[in-house]
Amino acid sequence: MSRNLPLRLLQWPINAKRLFVAALDAVMGLAAMWLAFTLRLENLHWPEGLQWLAYGLAPLLAFPVFVYFGLYRAIFRYTGIRALITTGKAVVLYGAVLLTILLVAQWEGVPRSVGVLQPVIFLLLVGASRALGWLWLAGQPSEAPRRLLIYGAGSAGAQTAAGLMGIRDYELIGFIDDDSSKAGRSINGVQVYPAHSLPELAQRLKPTDVLLAMPSAPRQRRRVILETLRELPLRIRTLPGMSDLASGRVTIADFQDLGLEDLIGREPVAPLPHLLGRNLVGQVVMVTGAGGSIGSELCRQIVHEVPAKLLLVDHSEYALYAIHRELQSLCDQGVHSCELVPLLANVTDAGRITDICQIHQPQSIYHAAAYKHVPLVEANPGEGVLNNVFGTLNMVRAAVKHNVQHFVLISTDKAVRPTNVMGASKRIAELILQAIAASDRPPFSDQAIGDTSWQSPTRFSMVRFGNVLGSSGSVIPLFRTQIATGGPVTVTHPQVTRYFMTIPEAAQLVIQAGAMAGGGDVFVLDMGAPVKILELAQRMVALSGLTVCDSQHPNGDIVIEFTGLRPGEKLYEELLIGAHPTRTAHPRILQAREDYLPWSELSPLLSTLEISAQQGNNTTIRQILAQLVPGYHLENEETRKFSSQDSANTAADKPQQQKTN
């Protein structure tokens, strides 16, 4: 019964809890007054006469003062030094008011010294009640606490340790630090160990978790530390927000999983400021697909470059609402002063797009709207083509008609020798921009014909890159969920390989690439080394403090299952169709030299493709895609299939494969 009492109290309604604490404070105020009289008069006291007024005054004064200082909004379970300091301030104010009243009233039988003794005793009682309440309500966890090492014995590590005082789910058993001079010392009674002793500590202290408390450590150093920790059966977490540490509100939920950059081991490159603002400062900028993963990040970065107006275009009502609310909140906080215009529109609606351009006269367009999920587009090729190809054509037509200065298409590595409709449709979108940029005659019927010196008023460019981490289609959120639920972790094929980049870095590079465009440019982002998805899954399992269950480790924690390539999916993605890309002013941006069809040859095929897409003629759609996109082919069905027996064999043979690859 007594063990369940704290849990029952925690389940009370919030107002009942506050009433209980206020009643307890009133009782302690009366008890402090009795003790003050007893100590002053040097005998057991019983109030009489005007002394009853002093007794009644204690709770009547304490309640409004404590409410003013927010003591009844505090959570007993998370009481810390800041809460105790606030309590002290409240009692000091209470004592000052009480002493003033006693000095002015001069009630008979009430010594003025009671006005000093009673607040001191009251402070001791209230402080002790908060501390005892914390100890009692926190209680013992339902299971053994996780044994925690904090990597980093600096100020961040010390603040983290202080924040852990109210969390019984973790037992802090030590600090680890690279600075050998700190070894052997202690922080609040917890010993600091040298980094090289980690393997020995793992055997002796049996830790279960490591918390990285090194917010200022360079990425290269963090990568070395993670590789060391990866060999140990420990779950790796990162430091919670410093604001939570400072306020003493650290909870288990504040411990964060490793950042995306830590998982792929990629060092971001600082942007070039003169490129970021070149096409944005003081301009009217439009972003299509503004509510998507890339589009929303583009918007976040664009508003910091002081454009005059930002047009947020998206066909998803909620996505548009979310990004507009986020950016408007930043504007209200004074972070930027850009005018925001949310516009519900589908890029396949040519009339709506033309009206938007006519009304707002954008000077720069970032076209991120696209269907990008390979299996969904493969199952709905007509809709994929209408959105990705003819939505882009509508945007291009409107840009040329209304003299937009800069147009940047967000493309994908799946456009290179595609095996799926999505990739092929994005390559055709690229071909449209290349053909218009190179055309010496007006490409559209609503423009003047016969001007042989015609040149597009719009500077077109396209930026091609691979997978972005954290997007709606990224594997990392999926893997985290699967690991948290005990597996299995699903990988399509043991050899599947992808390029990865964080969304903020990709958006920064897109803006900078667009600023370097001369017209018809195909920019390719340097994504670094490709990552095998199987190795990424294994890395995430290891850094979660778990082991992979396979033929070599039959008692492992997480099973990795191979499900086979999805329709249209490739084993390897590429970024270049041709060869020998040229360097640009930015070390992470390359410029490709790739062939294209003249507009006079491309236009008739587009007309046939549009009719086929509108009619849902999937056979003709794929035939035209193969005709327009050299290298387009369906992935071999035998490659896509991967049996469970092959899966087991591949998992067992993995160390040998790593050597040969």
Side-chain angles (χ1 to χ4, degrees), residues 137-159:
L137 290 176
Q140 295 297 322
S142 57
E143 56 186 27
R146 300 183 68 84
R147 296 171 63 79
L148 178 69
L149 289 171
I150 293 180
Y151 204 119
S155 59
Q159 289 187 63

Side-chain angles (χ1 to χ4, degrees), residues 81-111:
I81 187 65
R82 290 177 65 87
L84 293 178
I85 291 174
T86 303
T87 301
K89 292 178 180 179
V91 175
V92 167
L93 177 61
Y94 156 82
V97 176
L98 175 64
L99 180 60
T100 300
I101 292 175
L102 294 183
L103 290 174
V104 172
Q106 297 187 6
W107 291 322
E108 184 179 353
V110 181

